[in-house]
Amino acid sequence: MSEQTLASAANVLEKGELLSRFPGYVTRDERNGYQGYIIKADKLLEIVKAVRDEIGYDYLSSVTGVDYLPEDMMEVVYHASRTIGGPPLTLKVQVPRNNAVVPSLVPLYPGADFQEREAWDLMGIRFEGHPDLRRILMWEGFASHPLRKDWKEAYFEEDGKPFKSRWPDGHVWRAEDKNPFGLNVSYPEGFNPETWTPDKDALLYASLSRSQGGSESGLRTEPVLVNMGPQHPSTHGVFRFTVILDGETIMALKPVMGYLHRNHEKIGERNTFLQNMPFTDRLDYFSSMSNNFGYALAVEKLMGVKPPERAEYLRVIMAELTRISNHLAAIGFFLNDLGAFFTPVLYGFEERELILDIFEAVSGSRMMCNYFRFGGVARDLPEGIYEKISKLVNERLPRKIDELDLYLTNSEIIRGRTEGVGVLTPEQAIAYSTCGPVLRASGVPYDLRRADPYSIYDRFDFDVAVRYHGDAYDRYLIRMDELRQSVRILQQAVRDLPEGSIQEGKPQYQVRVPAGEAYGRVEGPKGELGFYVVSNGKPNPWRYHVRAPSFINLTAYESMCVGNKVADSVAILGSIDIVLGETDR
Amino acid sequence: MSDMKQENINNTKYDIPPELEAQVHVTTLDKIYNWGRRSSLWPMMFGLACCAIEMICTAASRYDFSRFGMEVMRPSPRQSDVMIVSGTVTKKMIPQIVRLYNQMPEPKYVVAMGACASGGGPFKEGYNVVSGVDKYVPVDVYVPGCPPTPQSLLHGLITLQRKIDAQSIKEVRWYQKEPIEALPVPVLGPDIMDPRKYEIFKAQMLQEEAQAVESAAQAEQA
């Protein structure tokens, strides 16, 4: 059955059944610029179960909340997809702001776990029936739910940029000077620090011993509690996880994040649409071009523009070069975690530097490229760069990938450390909403470049890499496979790169974005990278949410680790390939 | 080794007989002490955010800061000399950073790498972001950039070496009689709380109380 007929079959089911089977509980979202269905909260579980089991939306991409302050309403937005491909289905639940309670979807989609916790942490939406509803990015005891529209942070200046103090007259002042503490802090009125008792991770440890099956009062004597991170060389940044060990075997594990929570989403609501572009660079800082891509797609969907041919090709070239540089680094760091200390990274970084040279030449910056624009790209290739790319992808990279493969793949130590370690079955991988190499290494050939093609990916001849064991070794192999597929795409894109303009219309600093919502998603190097953008017609987005693949892949981390040895947890984490900038945002 | 050349080292104005010039060097204690420390600065392996990747690039083959004696990155603060704060410092992370700083043995240095660590950078206005690590930890060298290129990080580290060259055993803080106090670790409250600033809370509370008393008195009078 082709994708076309599948999609239309789903439409029939949706139109015919979803609306008629639950009359009054499911309505079409009629707002201008919106799509999907609005579901009544009290029948959410039942309806979503039907959507999952009968219509086949077995994969819950994204869960997030939107605070519609003027309408006095909180909206929870779900994006579900089918792992056989096709566009996502948008489901929404609307609840009043002062009593935002929504049934939790964790029993149906365990992948909603962290995302619901995030929505609770940042927006204050309570998910009833969630097994472990703690804060996830901020710490327990933080004064507020910061993404609520009526909450203002210490350095709050205005609702939207550019701030009047900076433009047009430019009376710049330092925010510290206006704060009584000289710091970026604000406290509730009459707060006395001497009577404050910090949480000291009590809730975390209670949750940890709960999932181990022990008593809630505290730890018994035999199992050992180990904290790893946030400063630990194998956690790829400031990730932390706590484990309960029986001997060396992991009995329970809880990831702790937020140590790099940089408030992308709050700052993004204040930025203009274009100002957000450089911020997306800093999400997954290994692959800034892919992040640009996702955000550009989301806003272009809202604006209804399409970039010209040459820009599309440039985009694909940059995105695939990013994938290669990311996977080279990921393989290197994975080997680092296994104990091959820094030698593979040096090999990977040698090629990565050459790719960064290209990025620097086209965008002006090695890592933070800020290269994509709505309806095009920022600059054309400078002189000599086309030849450089062409030489790299046709001559050097294939050879170097084979070299890396030769050195690493059949190494006895690597195979001994990773085969059969951290197994994730395909059912689990889908249920936990894992994406990218993690999902495909578990035997699910779900790659957005094929499943829901965007840009011009439908023109290229390439295979979706898939492996079937779901262990750490396969997650390593799949990155090797993807390196080769990316080179294939690059060779075709470089060969076919047309001449022409690189920007649809005139480049604009202040774009006009009509009101509505859009979910733009790309297959980033780490998986499905989605941007959910809500516009209300103003120069700044009303909501800017990032569906971060690293963050959601970590949902499956506990189930991959339990039963393995503690040293393997490091290898498993390396095989997931997380970047904290994206995990914590 | 350029600093160990005869003319640099023999600047103490002691005359060395020509036949001994190859065997005997006379120099100052400061000079040899500083030379030893600045030529083996061990950074702590401690990455926070995007800048950490450029720090790794600086350590990798192309830029290779082992040319300057910095190749030994130690994951433990106990074994390191310089903390490169490479990335955005968040409120959730700052207690750990201060604790790591306290755990480093003297002499210790801090390099604030990038815009975020120097002053908050693009994320300064964020509710979970500290506007510069220097609000909590003393910083020796600031490296601008977002992220700084490996070249500028190298320049920052060379600047730190110059700073070390100019130090004198007589004056450095770790050879003074008074013990060095550990920095107070910030507490995670409703917002991050710096124990050094608790007085401001007290002053605020006193002021509020006074205002309350005053308004009560005014109400009575009325």
Side-chain angles (χ1 to χ4, degrees):
Chain A
M1 209 193 295
S2 77
E3 272 173 27
Q4 209 69 49
T5 50
L6 267 174
S8 54
N11 271 339
V12 170
L13 271 170
E14 279 162 30
K15 275 179 196 149
E17 270 187 37
L18 211 53
L19 290 173
S20 62
R21 223 171 89 190
F22 304 99
Y25 288 98
V26 182
T27 47
R28 211 177 281 280
D29 194 345
E30 305 281 3
R31 289 172 291 178
N32 208 0
Y34 286 74
Q35 59 265 335
Y37 300 88
I38 298 172
I39 301 177
K40 287 260 161 60
D42 35 354
K43 274 217 175 171
L44 178 71
L45 280 178
E46 196 182 323
I47 294 167
V48 170
K49 195 165 190 306
V51 168
R52 183 189 72 170
D53 297 341
E54 289 163 40
I55 313 182
Y57 283 87
D58 50 352
Y59 182 84
L60 186 67
S61 291
S62 139
V63 181
T64 188
V66 186
D67 181 2
Y68 288 97
L69 182 64
E71 288 92 13
D72 193 32
M73 155 182 102
M74 278 282 180
E75 190 176 83
V76 182
V77 186
Y78 304 94
H79 287 97
S81 315
R82 288 182 298 180
T83 46
I84 47 169
L89 171 71
T90 317
L91 303 172
K92 288 158 197 171
V93 177
Q94 294 175 339
V95 283
R97 274 186 98 244
N98 53 11
N99 183 29
V101 184
V102 177
S104 166
L105 284 194
V106 176
L108 294 175
Y109 297 103
D113 185 348
F114 285 6
Q115 304 184 64
E116 288 186 347
R117 277 176 67 190
E118 184 198 315
W120 157 242
D121 186 358
L122 300 183
M123 328 248 345
I125 301 168
R126 188 173 279 285
F127 290 91
E128 228 164 25
H130 189 287
D132 189 18
L133 197 64
R134 290 177 288 125
R135 280 183 176 262
I136 189 163
L137 296 177
M138 300 303 285
W139 62 89
E140 294 297 337
F142 183 71
S144 173
H145 300 288
L147 275 187
R148 288 179 88 102
K149 286 279 181 183
D150 48 2
W151 185 79
K152 308 266 191 284
E153 59 264 70
Y155 281 177
F156 176 80
E157 202 176 326
E158 260 176 77
D159 275 325
K161 282 177 189 169
F163 294 149
K164 290 190 187 69
S165 64
R166 323 282 164 89
W167 189 84
D169 298 328
H171 302 299
V172 180
W173 42 269
R174 280 160 44 104
E176 292 98 309
D177 300 340
K178 298 210 169 178
N179 190 289
F181 292 88
L183 297 170
N184 183 6
V185 288
S186 63
Y187 303 97
E189 226 167 279
F191 171 70
N192 181 4
E194 252 119 66
T195 56
W196 174 263
T197 34
D199 164 68
K200 293 214 169 124
D201 291 338
L203 277 174
L204 165 69
Y205 295 141
S207 149
L208 195 60
S209 61
R210 218 172 27 241
S211 70
Q212 175 219 3
S215 68
E216 277 209 52
S217 60
L219 298 173
R220 276 175 280 137
T221 44
E222 306 93 344
V224 186
L225 182 127
V226 180
N227 267 290
M228 266 177 89
Q231 191 263 330
H232 190 280
S234 71
T235 54
H236 296 227
V238 285
F239 179 63
R240 169 183 167 204
F241 56 96
T242 53
V243 284
I244 292 185
L245 299 176
D246 178 22
E248 270 197 72
T249 310
I250 297 172
M251 296 167 75
L253 179 147
K254 291 280 170 216
V256 188
M257 34 211 154
Y259 292 97
L260 191 55
H261 179 46
R262 306 194 269 195
N263 330 124
H264 273 276
E265 293 183 5
K266 187 81 178 175
I267 296 174
E269 285 173 4
R270 214 172 296 139
N271 284 342
T272 63
F273 282 93
L274 189 59
Q275 274 174 342
N276 268 339
M277 191 62 87
F279 279 86
T280 62
D281 288 336
R282 287 155 181 82
L283 284 167
D284 171 0
Y285 33 78
F286 266 112
S287 38
S288 61
M289 292 280 198
S290 294
N291 305 343
N292 284 183
F293 207 163
Y295 181 60
L297 282 183
V299 178
E300 278 163 10
K301 242 185 218 176
L302 276 173
M303 292 168 63
V305 293
K306 224 180 125 38
E309 277 292 279
R310 185 172 171 85
E312 293 273 29
Y313 273 89
L314 285 176
R315 285 178 170 196
V316 167
I317 291 174
M318 295 308 157
E320 293 307 315
L321 281 175
T322 302
R323 192 183 315 276
I324 291 176
S325 84
N326 176 80
H327 281 359
L328 285 170
I331 289 171
F333 287 123
F334 174 53
L335 270 285
N336 240 13
D337 294 343
L338 295 180
F341 200 62
F342 259 99
T343 309
V345 176
L346 291 179
Y347 275 80
F349 267 55
E350 202 184 338
E351 308 316 306
R352 185 171 175 267
E353 285 288 341
L354 298 176
I355 295 172
L356 292 193
D357 282 349
I358 292 167
F359 288 169
E360 192 171 8
V362 296
S363 76
S365 176
R366 282 157 52 86
M367 276 170 68
M368 305 305 172
C369 301
N370 186 18
Y371 182 59
F372 287 43
R373 293 291 178 271
F374 308 127
V377 292
R379 284 167 211 89
D380 209 336
L381 297 180
E383 209 177 308
I385 291 302
Y386 177 79
E387 291 72 29
K388 218 171 172 179
I389 300 175
S390 164
K391 211 166 168 193
L392 189 69
V393 302
N394 286 314
E395 292 166 28
R396 187 172 167 117
L397 278 177
R399 185 159 49 84
K400 287 287 171 179
I401 292 167
D402 287 346
E403 187 186 281
L404 210 58
D405 199 6
L406 181 74
Y407 293 154
L408 301 177
T409 303
N410 285 316
S411 156
E412 212 165 297
I413 302 172
I414 293 174
R415 299 189 72 145
R417 275 296 304 275
T418 56
E419 277 179 333
V421 168
V423 177
L424 195 67
T425 64
E427 292 78 20
Q428 279 177 320
I430 294 172
Y432 281 118
S433 302
T434 59
C435 48
V438 179
L439 181 63
R440 291 192 288 274
S442 290
V444 184
Y446 182 71
D447 185 327
L448 285 178
R449 292 173 293 176
R450 277 269 186 270
D452 186 13
Y454 52 93
S455 187
I456 49 165
Y457 274 107
D458 46 357
R459 296 184 196 174
F460 297 112
D461 178 29
F462 70 99
D463 300 321
V464 174
V466 61
R467 295 270 171 173
Y468 298 95
H469 297 108
D471 56 2
Y473 187 60
D474 272 12
R475 286 193 281 276
Y476 154 78
L477 286 177
I478 201 136
R479 295 204 168 87
M480 276 297 182
D481 299 343
E482 285 190 9
L483 282 174
R484 296 208 165 94
Q485 297 305 330
S486 286
V487 169
R488 263 177 87 184
I489 297 175
L490 276 169
Q491 285 170 345
Q492 297 166 49
V494 169
R495 186 191 64 207
D496 303 338
L497 178 68
E499 291 297 322
S501 96
I502 51 153
Q503 171 77 41
E504 181 67 36
K506 230 172 63 194
Q508 277 176 310
Y509 181 68
Q510 188 69 276
V511 289
R512 298 187 78 93
V513 181
E517 59 162 13
Y519 182 63
R521 52 181 193 168
V522 292
E523 186 68 35
K526 305 206 163 51
E528 176 180 340
L529 174 69
F531 286 86
Y532 178 69
V533 182
V534 177
S535 163
N536 58 354
K538 297 234 171 72
N540 318 87
W542 179 256
R543 177 87 172 95
Y544 160 76
H545 172 72
V546 186
R547 190 253 184 229
S550 305
F551 176 66
I552 293 162
N553 282 348
L554 278 174
T555 319
Y557 185 43
E558 179 176 9
S559 71
M560 284 189 216
C561 282
V562 170
N564 282 301
K565 301 284 182 242
V566 65
D568 292 336
S569 69
V570 172
I572 296 167
L573 187 68
S575 75
I576 303 177
D577 181 22
I578 58 164
V579 154
L580 266 295
E582 188 180 69
T583 308
D584 294 343
R585 279 153 293 147
Chain B
M1 283 297 280
S2 64
D3 281 11
M4 288 302 269
K5 278 191 191 133
Q6 209 100 23
E7 54 268 28
N8 289 337
I9 224 167
N10 292 344
N11 62 353
T12 48
K13 293 176 188 127
Y14 285 99
D15 284 333
I16 301 173
E19 67 272 22
L20 285 179
E21 253 174 17
Q23 283 85 39
V24 176
H25 300 284
V26 179
T27 184
T28 57
L29 185 57
D30 270 347
K31 188 136 195 165
I32 196 88
Y33 174 74
N34 286 340
W35 173 78
R37 285 191 305 124
R38 57 102 81 186
S39 309
S40 67
L41 272 179
W42 290 5
M44 179 154 65
M45 189 190 270
F46 167 57
L48 285 178
C50 338
C51 289
I53 310 304
E54 286 297 61
M55 185 172 73
I56 296 168
C57 287
T58 319
S61 38
R62 190 191 253 185
Y63 298 99
D64 191 15
F65 63 15
S66 63
R67 292 176 292 159
F68 306 94
M70 294 152 194
E71 73 271 43
V72 197
M73 289 192 111
R74 297 278 99 172
S76 162
R78 304 279 185 204
Q79 300 167 341
S80 41
D81 304 307
V82 51
M83 176 157 88
I84 302 177
V85 184
S86 53
T88 314
V89 181
T90 60
K91 291 178 185 172
K92 200 170 175 179
M93 192 62 195
I94 189 71
Q96 276 80 351
I97 293 175
V98 174
R99 204 168 287 140
L100 285 168
Y101 178 80
N102 285 338
Q103 286 172 348
M104 282 167 72
E106 293 280 0
K108 55 187 169 189
Y109 302 94
V110 177
V111 175
M113 179 185 181
C116 292
S118 303
F123 301 100
K124 180 175 174 180
E125 61 196 289
Y127 49 86
N128 192 26
V129 176
V130 171
S131 354
V133 74
D134 57 358
K135 294 275 188 289
Y136 294 91
V137 171
V139 174
D140 292 280
V141 177
Y142 297 87
V143 184
C146 189
T149 55
Q151 292 95 326
S152 42
L153 178 61
L154 276 178
H155 179 69
L157 290 167
I158 293 169
T159 310
L160 179 64
Q161 290 188 327
R162 294 226 178 92
K163 189 171 180 173
I164 294 174
D165 282 340
Q167 285 182 322
S168 161
I169 295 184
K170 246 163 66 183
E171 283 149 26
V172 289
R173 63 170 184 272
W174 52 93
Y175 284 135
Q176 303 307 313
K177 274 192 187 137
E178 306 82 53
I180 300 170
E181 295 283 323
L183 291 175
V185 177
V187 182
L188 292 174
D191 209 325
I192 191 79
M193 301 189 290
D194 189 346
R196 292 174 296 187
K197 303 219 168 184
Y198 279 5
E199 277 135 45
I200 303 179
F201 281 110
K202 273 186 201 146
Q204 267 186 350
M205 278 165 65
L206 284 177
Q207 204 183 351
E208 271 164 31
E209 265 171 39
Q211 269 174 0
V213 169
E214 206 171 289
S215 58
Q218 272 175 359
E220 259 177 41
Q221 271 180 3

